[in-house]
Amino acid sequence: MFNKLEAVMMPLAEKLGKNKVLVAIRDGFLITTPLIIVGSLFLLFSNFPIPGWENFWNGILGPNWSSWFGNVSGAIFDMVGFLSCLGTAYAYGRELEVDPIQAAAVAIVGYLILTPMQVVIKGVPDPVGAIDLQYLGTNGIFLGLVMAIVSVLIYAYVAKKGWTIKMPDGVPPAVSKSFEALIPSGIVMLIFFFVRIAFEFTPYETAHNFIFEILQTPLKGAGNTLFAQIIYSLACTIFWFFGINGPAVANSVFAPITKVLTMENLNAFQAGEHLPNIFTDPFSNFFTNYGGGGSTLSLVIVMILFCRSERITKLGKLSLIPGIFGINEPIIFGLPIVLNPVIIIPFILVPTINLLLSTLITKLGIIPYTNGVSLPWTTPIGFSGYLSTGSLVAAVWQFMLLALGCVVYYPFIKTLDRQYLKEEAEAANKKTEDEDLSFDDISFEDL
């Protein structure tokens, strides 16, 4: 059975891992991730979920202190669509082996060509020349991804056709590259110039409206379901079973959707409004898996407390500190979990149970929706539950799920423990027999 499953999954994972578009989207989000995390820290500080926090700092820094932090978080979250376009275009240019900086610049220009440059202000008779940040923020993520892929694809096609201006050998490389990019960049800009005009003759008026109403809203709705989250969880754990980084593959498909859902919660949190979505990035990171994929922190705890095999207990102790911070490669490849038919069952089952129970308890209102603040995925259990929801109950719930995971993992790891104990005993007996051999046992009288 496992051979058949491997025969199906390995080609699929290899195909997804080599798809340049999916790789570009994945790496493009990774480029923006440090900025989002830092911006989230500023946002978290200005909205820390402790009663009296704001009043305390008002007395020290004055009433405007939160706006200082808001300037930093706003510079990132109000530009997340723009940044997604930038990062994805750079990554895709690299994949297509063209100048990634120039590819990113062309994509950004194309993105801005399709973006309305006028804002209607109440009380002002004429539109004001400006860009509404809603087009550069969450609502612009999907258009940013589309623009990054399409514009770089056109740019690379034109450049590889040789439709460029070649400069003499003595010209500095920077000057030569800029002239080589002239015609490909001009063609990309010209195409989206006509696209912009074409949209003005449609009921949508702009590409942003078209993307949001026709594409983003349905996809977001599909991703904001329990069924989709179960598929995501199963994909991550099954890929890990074959030694493939599951989230790295699955996030190529799911990350653009959950990013939008997360940003919607963040915007509502900042505005003091009702949080609309359960299935955000923090929910997936902090309420389904503890210690990495498969929620292996539970497994590590059982290994330390209840196993007797020297191999398992030592590995458990070495893996505890990394596991607390969500790093579980020592367990994945050291136990191993990869291609281990004994551990694969709880490895899939535990995060699925966590997902189902966390969804239920959130819908019942026992724990709040996650606030959209993008904490580092390495945030330890307890802290992550509290900071992502502002609720101590959520932190307690995490530890309850951690304990439940220990119960599920226990019979399976004990089975493996008995197997390893037997192997260690056999190895020890063999070593003893080898040590009993001595040159004193050899007699030359029989020769």
Side-chain angles (χ1 to χ4, degrees):
M1 181 182 70
F2 292 104
N3 291 335
K4 292 181 179 179
L5 189 59
E6 182 179 3
V8 173
M9 296 302 297
M10 287 297 289
L12 176 61
E14 185 177 355
K15 187 174 181 179
L16 290 175
K18 292 182 178 179
N19 186 286
K20 294 182 178 181
V21 173
L22 295 180
V23 169
I25 293 174
R26 180 197 67 196
D27 292 352
F29 278 121
L30 290 176
I31 290 173
T32 63
T33 296
L35 303 176
I36 293 174
I37 290 176
V38 173
S40 294
L41 295 177
F42 277 83
L43 179 64
L44 182 63
F45 186 85
S46 62
N47 296 274
F48 203 74
I50 293 179
W53 177 264
E54 183 176 357
N55 293 332
F56 172 77
W57 287 106
N58 283 346
I60 297 176
L61 302 176
N64 297 323
W65 71 273
S66 61
S67 66
W68 304 341
F69 291 83
N71 290 334
V72 177
S73 58
I76 298 167
F77 299 124
D78 291 342
M79 301 286 288
V80 68
F82 183 86
L83 293 172
S84 299
C85 179
L86 170 67
T88 303
Y90 180 91
Y92 196 40
R94 183 190 59 205
E95 291 295 315
L96 296 184
E97 299 180 351
V98 296
D99 186 354
I101 294 294
Q102 192 65 45
V106 169
I108 290 172
V109 171
Y111 182 77
L112 293 176
I113 288 173
L114 297 184
T115 300
M117 296 286 186
Q118 292 182 329
V119 176
V120 177
I121 301 177
K122 187 177 181 180
V124 178
D126 297 321
V128 177
I131 299 178
D132 192 330
L133 288 178
Q134 68 166 321
Y135 297 120
L136 305 181
T138 304
N139 289 348
I141 287 180
F142 272 68
L143 181 61
L145 296 179
V146 171
M147 285 302 306
I149 300 303
V150 174
S151 60
V152 175
L153 194 61
I154 296 171
Y155 178 88
Y157 175 82
V158 175
K160 291 181 179 182
K161 281 290 184 179
W163 301 345
T164 58
I165 298 175
K166 301 292 185 181
M167 301 298 290
D169 293 338
V171 177
V175 176
S176 179
K177 285 185 177 181
S178 67
F179 274 92
E180 287 180 5
L182 182 60
I183 293 177
S185 300
I187 291 177
V188 172
M189 294 167 65
L190 186 64
I191 289 174
F192 289 109
F193 167 73
F194 289 115
V195 171
R196 167 68 181 263
I197 294 174
F199 270 110
E200 292 188 0
F201 290 96
T202 69
Y204 302 104
E205 296 183 349
T206 69
H208 283 273
N209 292 338
F210 174 80
I211 290 290
F212 187 75
E213 294 182 22
I214 301 300
L215 298 178
Q216 180 165 317
T217 301
L219 285 175
K220 182 185 70 177
N224 195 21
T225 63
L226 178 59
F227 177 75
Q229 295 302 309
I230 291 174
I231 295 299
Y232 172 73
S233 178
L234 290 175
C236 290
T237 51
I238 290 173
F239 278 123
W240 265 130
F241 175 68
F242 293 107
I244 302 162
N245 189 321
V249 177
N251 283 343
S252 300
V253 178
F254 284 90
I257 300 171
T258 56
K259 192 72 67 178
V260 173
L261 300 174
T262 303
M263 289 300 171
E264 285 186 354
N265 276 27
L266 181 63
N267 293 336
F269 175 66
Q270 289 177 298
E273 299 172 352
H274 171 71
L275 303 178
N277 305 309
I278 292 180
F279 303 115
T280 62
D281 284 337
F283 182 87
S284 177
N285 291 337
F286 304 135
F287 291 98
T288 61
N289 288 292
Y290 306 107
S295 199
T296 51
L297 184 56
S298 297
L299 173 61
V300 170
I301 292 172
V302 175
M303 290 168 63
I304 295 173
L305 295 180
F306 301 106
C307 291
R308 295 187 298 140
S309 163
E310 186 175 357
R311 171 179 173 180
I312 289 181
T313 53
K314 284 187 175 180
L315 179 62
K317 292 175 182 178
L318 291 172
S319 303
L320 180 60
I321 298 300
I324 291 173
F325 294 94
I327 300 168
N328 67 344
E329 276 77 3
I331 291 295
I332 295 289
F333 299 104
L335 188 59
I337 289 173
V338 174
L339 299 177
N340 189 329
V342 176
I343 298 298
I344 184 58
I345 297 173
F347 189 70
I348 292 175
L349 194 59
V350 172
T352 304
I353 293 173
N354 292 346
L355 171 62
L356 294 172
L357 292 179
S358 294
T359 301
L360 175 63
I361 201 170
T362 302
K363 287 189 174 183
L364 291 175
I366 297 175
I367 65 173
Y369 285 24
T370 54
N371 52 31
V373 173
S374 182
L375 299 171
W377 56 270
T378 53
T379 305
I381 183 175
F383 293 101
S384 60
Y386 175 67
L387 294 176
S388 64
T389 63
S391 169
L392 287 173
V393 176
V396 174
W397 174 248
Q398 288 183 305
F399 284 104
M400 292 174 65
L401 289 180
L402 182 69
L404 179 60
C406 292
V407 173
V408 176
Y409 267 114
Y410 178 84
F412 296 93
I413 190 61
K414 284 297 290 182
T415 299
L416 201 62
D417 183 46
R418 286 191 288 270
Q419 176 186 334
Y420 287 172
L421 275 173
K422 182 179 178 181
E423 293 175 358
E424 289 171 5
E426 292 175 353
N429 291 335
K430 184 177 180 181
K431 182 179 180 181
T432 302
E433 291 175 0
D434 291 342
E435 289 176 350
D436 288 342
L437 292 176
S438 170
F439 283 107
D440 294 336
D441 297 328
I442 301 176
S443 173
F444 291 97
E445 295 178 358
D446 298 329
L447 295 178

